[in-house]
Amino acid sequence: MVQPRVAVVGGVNMDLVFSAPRRPQPGETLVGTAFGTFVGGKGANQAVAAARAGAHVEFVGRLGADDFGRDIAAVLENEGISLRHVIRDAEAGTGVAEIVVEPDGTNSIIVVPRANGRLSARDVARARGAIAGCSVLLLQLEVPVAASEAAARAAKQTGATVILNPAPAADIPATLLARVDVLTPNEPETMQLTGIAPHTPEDAARAGRALLQRGVGAVVLTLGERGALVVDEDGAERVPSFEVPAVDTTAAGDAFCGALGVALAEGRSLREATRFACAAGALAVTKMGAGPSLPARQEIERLLSGQE
Ligand code: RIB
């Protein structure tokens, strides 16, 4: 099979991860139980997820000209990801994220974008050739929306599939939504975008339809342990998740989106691709940290064939 090609235009962070019994209250100092630094950022995570799932990946973004930037570039290159369109920014540091992981695996995250916030439409225009050579483009909302819009425009000119993971939740201009083939919000993002909490199957389908009306081609709502709901012109269909022990949910959504992109680039249907992505997302919650938890293709296929 020809290797699928996926472009990612997005954010990259150094994640500073604290395990703790809970989040501290205002004014409180709490003793944590573990600490680690990991390559993260939704763009970089989705790039690594796509590379491990089998794609050639072109990453477009900005790193600082600092130690974090150097270390992250080495890790991404080691994954085989092309960084020819990653700018080393001398004016701003590499993006950082403070992540607290609680004993049940849930996390809370503060991101400071730094260099990510300086990715421009012009930077993306320089990478047009690389984006045009890919059949899927993955976007998130951790870089300025003008950069994402420029990338979506470039991708649509060559007929690529544009996947937008609307994270972290923010207002999305109609001009960007009109170029999105697949939107992948999680529950809080769905709530923020539609005002509908997708707690019941009916409400989830209603929220998906409300998003379709805003101009996207299809919606895949990610519902954690309830799996995912595909909503498109053919209707709404739930794709179940896989039962796994939860250690750290960080980057589960990124694993999902990276794998979804690869499966669509391989020509699978949206429902088949969503099942592949659900397996990748489930595997990602079984390990600590963003980068280390993103599964290899073999692991995804093993889970899908019921051998885990
Ligand atoms: O989706 C998880 C990611 O969100 C983390 O890696 C962190 O950097 C934030 O961008």
Short mmCIF file of all heavy atoms in Angstrom, two decimals, residues 13 15 39-42 45 97 99 109 111 142 250-251 254 290, ligand 1:
data_model
loop_
_atom_site.label_atom_id
_atom_site.label_comp_id
_atom_site.label_asym_id
_atom_site.label_seq_id
_atom_site.Cartn_x
_atom_site.Cartn_y
_atom_site.Cartn_z
N ASN A 13 4.12 21.91 22.29
CA ASN A 13 4.48 22.38 23.64
C ASN A 13 5.43 21.41 24.32
O ASN A 13 5.46 20.23 23.99
CB ASN A 13 3.23 22.41 24.55
CG ASN A 13 2.19 23.39 24.07
OD1 ASN A 13 2.50 24.46 23.56
ND2 ASN A 13 0.92 23.03 24.25
N ASP A 15 5.31 19.65 27.69
CA ASP A 15 4.34 19.40 28.76
C ASP A 15 5.06 19.14 30.08
O ASP A 15 5.94 18.27 30.15
CB ASP A 15 3.49 18.15 28.43
CG ASP A 15 2.49 18.40 27.32
OD1 ASP A 15 2.36 19.56 26.86
OD2 ASP A 15 1.82 17.42 26.92
N VAL A 39 6.98 15.67 25.30
CA VAL A 39 6.60 16.46 24.12
C VAL A 39 5.08 16.44 24.03
O VAL A 39 4.46 15.39 24.17
CB VAL A 39 7.22 15.86 22.84
CG1 VAL A 39 6.67 16.56 21.61
CG2 VAL A 39 8.73 16.00 22.89
N GLY A 40 4.48 17.62 23.83
CA GLY A 40 3.03 17.69 23.74
C GLY A 40 2.60 18.82 22.81
O GLY A 40 3.37 19.25 21.95
N GLY A 41 1.40 19.31 23.05
CA GLY A 41 0.80 20.26 22.11
C GLY A 41 -0.08 19.44 21.19
O GLY A 41 0.33 18.38 20.71
N LYS A 42 -1.30 19.94 20.97
CA LYS A 42 -2.24 19.11 20.21
C LYS A 42 -1.75 18.83 18.79
O LYS A 42 -1.94 17.74 18.25
CB LYS A 42 -3.62 19.77 20.21
CG LYS A 42 -4.18 19.86 21.63
CD LYS A 42 -5.53 20.50 21.70
CE LYS A 42 -5.86 20.92 23.13
NZ LYS A 42 -5.84 19.84 24.12
N ASN A 45 1.15 16.27 19.04
CA ASN A 45 0.62 14.95 19.43
C ASN A 45 -0.09 14.28 18.25
O ASN A 45 0.06 13.07 18.01
CB ASN A 45 -0.40 15.09 20.57
CG ASN A 45 0.25 15.55 21.87
OD1 ASN A 45 1.46 15.43 22.04
ND2 ASN A 45 -0.55 16.08 22.77
N ALA A 97 2.97 23.65 28.57
CA ALA A 97 1.68 23.29 29.17
C ALA A 97 1.94 22.75 30.57
O ALA A 97 2.86 21.95 30.76
CB ALA A 97 0.99 22.23 28.33
N ILE A 99 0.30 20.44 33.28
CA ILE A 99 -0.78 19.43 33.29
C ILE A 99 -0.80 18.75 34.67
O ILE A 99 0.22 18.26 35.14
CB ILE A 99 -0.55 18.36 32.20
CG1 ILE A 99 -0.44 19.04 30.82
CG2 ILE A 99 -1.65 17.31 32.22
CD1 ILE A 99 -0.26 18.09 29.65
N ILE A 109 -5.38 21.26 32.30
CA ILE A 109 -4.21 21.76 31.56
C ILE A 109 -4.25 23.28 31.45
O ILE A 109 -5.30 23.86 31.16
CB ILE A 109 -4.21 21.18 30.11
CG1 ILE A 109 -4.27 19.65 30.14
CG2 ILE A 109 -2.98 21.67 29.33
CD1 ILE A 109 -4.26 18.98 28.75
N VAL A 111 -2.21 26.03 29.11
CA VAL A 111 -1.26 26.15 28.01
C VAL A 111 -0.84 27.61 27.88
O VAL A 111 -1.67 28.51 27.95
CB VAL A 111 -1.92 25.69 26.69
CG1 VAL A 111 -1.06 26.03 25.50
CG2 VAL A 111 -2.20 24.21 26.72
N GLU A 142 -4.87 25.64 18.55
CA GLU A 142 -3.78 26.12 19.42
C GLU A 142 -2.85 27.10 18.71
O GLU A 142 -1.84 27.50 19.28
CB GLU A 142 -2.97 24.94 19.97
CG GLU A 142 -3.63 24.30 21.18
CD GLU A 142 -2.78 23.25 21.86
OE1 GLU A 142 -1.83 22.72 21.24
OE2 GLU A 142 -3.09 22.94 23.02
N THR A 250 -4.60 12.38 29.06
CA THR A 250 -3.97 13.40 28.21
C THR A 250 -3.68 12.83 26.82
O THR A 250 -3.12 11.73 26.70
CB THR A 250 -2.62 13.87 28.83
OG1 THR A 250 -2.84 14.21 30.19
CG2 THR A 250 -2.05 15.06 28.08
N ALA A 251 -4.05 13.59 25.79
CA ALA A 251 -3.76 13.25 24.39
C ALA A 251 -4.60 12.12 23.82
O ALA A 251 -4.35 11.69 22.69
CB ALA A 251 -2.27 12.98 24.17
N ASP A 254 -6.04 13.49 20.84
CA ASP A 254 -5.03 13.66 19.78
C ASP A 254 -4.73 12.32 19.10
O ASP A 254 -4.57 12.26 17.88
CB ASP A 254 -3.74 14.25 20.37
CG ASP A 254 -3.98 15.62 20.98
OD1 ASP A 254 -4.86 16.34 20.46
OD2 ASP A 254 -3.31 15.96 21.96
N ALA A 290 1.71 12.60 27.14
CA ALA A 290 1.12 12.69 25.81
C ALA A 290 1.90 11.82 24.83
O ALA A 290 1.46 10.72 24.46
CB ALA A 290 1.09 14.15 25.36
O1 RIB B 1 -4.25 17.39 24.06
C1 RIB B 1 -3.25 17.32 25.01
C2 RIB B 1 -2.32 18.49 24.86
O2 RIB B 1 -2.99 19.67 25.20
C3 RIB B 1 -1.12 18.46 25.77
O3 RIB B 1 -0.05 17.75 25.20
C4 RIB B 1 -0.84 19.93 26.03
O4 RIB B 1 0.36 20.39 25.50
C5 RIB B 1 -2.04 20.67 25.46
O5 RIB B 1 -1.76 21.25 24.24
#
